[in-house]
Amino acid sequence: MSPELKYALITFGIGCLIVVLEWNMAGKKKGGVTWTDKKRIRGIFGVSVGIAALVYFVVWAGG
């Protein structure tokens, strides 16, 4: 496995972990998971994909 892909997958995995934690915290609220929570979680997922792509590019350009 290339180092670029390895570091990008680690970054994406951390982002997915944050998404799961946010989903669990939102589900424990009194009203459950609302539309606003889902929108925020989708945004976190999108940011984690973008950061993983950035990490891939930086490692690729530096190597």
Side-chain angles (χ1 to χ4, degrees):
M1 181 183 295
S2 67
E4 299 94 0
L5 187 59
K6 180 175 71 171
Y7 289 119
L9 287 176
I10 290 170
T11 305
F12 180 70
I14 291 170
C16 287
L17 179 67
I18 293 171
V19 165
V20 169
L21 291 174
E22 283 288 325
W23 186 272
N24 286 336
M25 287 174 28
K28 290 181 181 181
K29 290 190 319 189
K30 190 171 188 170
V33 180
T34 63
W35 181 80
T36 308
D37 294 329
K38 290 179 184 178
K39 190 174 179 181
R40 186 182 70 244
I41 291 169
R42 263 188 308 228
I44 293 170
F45 182 76
V47 167
S48 68
V49 168
I51 291 175
L54 180 66
V55 166
Y56 183 88
F57 176 73
V58 167
V59 173
W60 174 77

